[in-house]
Amino acid sequence: GCLLDRYDEAEALYDKIEGEYLSLKDSARSADYYPVVFSGSKYDTKWFTPGGNSFVAQFIRDSGARYAFQHIEGQGNVELDFESVLSTLVKADYWGLIVSSRDEFALSSLLEMEPRYALFNSFKDGQVFVCNTAKSDYFGDAVLEPQVILADLIAVIHPGLLPGHNHTYFRPVVVDVKS
């Protein structure tokens, strides 16, 4: 706004986004249950996940959930030994990850990546959600729409709070396999 001499317009837009975000965050606080959510995926022999001080962890907390890796320091992604975190991941309620796939991303897609993903309760219960960067601009537009990201997460984790929500960035994974 300052660069384009449109400060008041920019300030009003910021206030609108902030108000929507805080309203959504307040609605998530009314949830009866705060499920455990983890994020990330395995690459080679390591698990990569956002740290407990990351914006991803904050989105998860604001959506009415507990972040499984809250105890891990850091704002960016951290590298963990897959076997050492497996016990945490197995028990978590929801799993969120970012993928890039031209096709519809489904549970079977996860098994192609790593067969041991079938051990996760979130996989067994079909409680996996993704942001498919081949179909949505997570690394561009999403930065300007934190309230939309939060609404997507609330609609996935607490669907009764936002019935009829149209997902923009994060959406439930298609359940296509028997686990």
Side-chain angles (χ1 to χ4, degrees):
C2 291
L3 294 175
L4 301 174
D5 197 28
R6 295 169 70 181
Y7 180 80
D8 291 340
E9 185 180 341
E11 186 73 18
L13 182 58
Y14 179 88
D15 290 344
K16 179 180 182 278
I17 291 169
E18 180 185 36
E20 290 175 14
Y21 189 97
L22 293 174
S23 177
L24 286 163
K25 181 179 172 182
D26 284 344
S27 73
R29 287 186 184 146
S30 70
D32 294 332
Y33 174 64
Y34 279 50
V36 175
V37 177
F38 69 95
S39 181
S41 59
K42 183 178 165 284
Y43 180 75
D44 197 21
T45 62
K46 299 294 182 183
W47 185 269
F48 292 87
T49 192
N53 300 329
S54 67
F55 69 90
V56 172
Q58 189 64 53
F59 275 128
I60 290 170
R61 287 189 300 272
D62 289 348
S63 70
R66 295 174 288 149
Y67 185 49
F69 296 117
Q70 184 60 43
H71 63 284
I72 297 175
E73 294 290 323
Q75 294 180 341
N77 278 344
V78 293
E79 180 180 312
L80 305 169
D81 178 61
F82 181 65
E83 282 70 23
S84 69
V85 298
L86 190 57
S87 63
T88 299
L89 305 181
V90 165
K91 299 172 192 169
D93 301 299
Y94 285 88
W95 175 17
L97 65 160
I98 296 173
V99 300
S100 181
S101 175
R102 285 184 283 166
D103 300 321
E104 189 70 37
F105 198 81
L107 286 180
S108 60
S109 308
L110 289 169
L111 291 180
E112 291 170 13
M113 295 166 65
E114 170 59 64
R116 291 179 290 180
Y117 288 164
L119 299 172
F120 300 165
N121 284 351
S122 55
F123 181 93
K124 293 175 189 174
D125 296 339
Q127 296 186 155
V128 180
F129 59 94
V130 297
C131 175
N132 187 345
T133 60
K135 298 185 182 277
S136 65
D137 191 12
Y138 180 73
F139 296 108
D141 290 345
V143 175
L144 303 173
E145 301 180 313
Q147 80 284 16
V148 176
I149 292 173
L150 184 60
D152 283 353
L153 294 175
I154 292 169
V156 168
I157 296 167
H158 302 290
L161 294 178
L162 296 176
H165 175 75
N166 291 320
H167 298 275
T168 302
Y169 300 106
F170 289 95
R171 65 189 69 249
V173 169
V174 174
V175 177
D176 66 339
V177 295
K178 298 253 186 227
S179 53

